[in-house]
Amino acid sequence: MTNKIVVHTTCGSEADARRIARHLVELRLAACVAITPGVLSTYHWKGAIEEDQECALTIKTRRDLFAALAAELRKVHPYEVPELVALPIVDGSPAYLDWMDAELQPPVELP
């Protein structure tokens, strides 16, 4: 098990996705954000079933940065309740994992 995670969110436009991605990378809360446009989402919202085209964002970061990343994402995300799901990176290419560390903020001590 590594200390790396992938955080998933979606948003309603490519412009919002690009803005969020750039913001998180500039703050070094994300080493990389991959944007996948054209995702069709079906969900319950305020008593109705909705279906929308969205962009999926795959955010690569470390576990110790999750709280700061989540707080920042909530500030800049246009949704009332943005998706915010973190999944562990169990293993990976050592070179890629080292690159992630080099691109992220220094480690934060977890409580």
Side-chain angles (χ1 to χ4, degrees):
M1 182 74 76
T2 74
N3 66 343
K4 310 299 185 293
I5 58 174
V6 173
V7 178
H8 185 76
T9 193
T10 56
C11 58
S13 74
E14 192 170 333
D16 283 337
R18 287 173 178 262
R19 179 180 51 79
I20 291 167
R22 185 167 198 81
H23 183 72
L24 296 175
V25 170
E26 284 175 346
L27 293 177
R28 294 191 174 270
L29 293 172
C32 173
V33 179
I35 299 169
T36 306
V39 174
L40 180 62
S41 294
T42 305
Y43 54 95
H44 278 278
W45 182 247
K46 297 186 178 182
I49 295 177
E50 302 287 340
E51 191 171 272
D52 287 309
Q53 288 286 327
E54 295 184 296
C55 289
L57 286 78
T58 304
I59 304 162
K60 291 92 169 203
T61 191
R62 280 193 325 263
R63 176 73 183 105
D64 62 293
L65 296 176
F66 180 76
L69 184 144
E72 205 58 41
L73 185 68
R74 285 186 201 99
K75 283 185 207 173
V76 299
H77 204 290
Y79 287 0
E80 184 179 335
V81 181
E83 177 180 4
L84 185 56
V85 178
L87 304 169
I89 296 176
V90 176
D91 206 349
S93 158
Y96 187 81
L97 299 177
D98 289 346
W99 169 81
M100 283 179 66
D101 275 331
E103 298 307 318
L104 294 166
Q105 290 181 10
V108 175
E109 277 192 43
L110 294 174

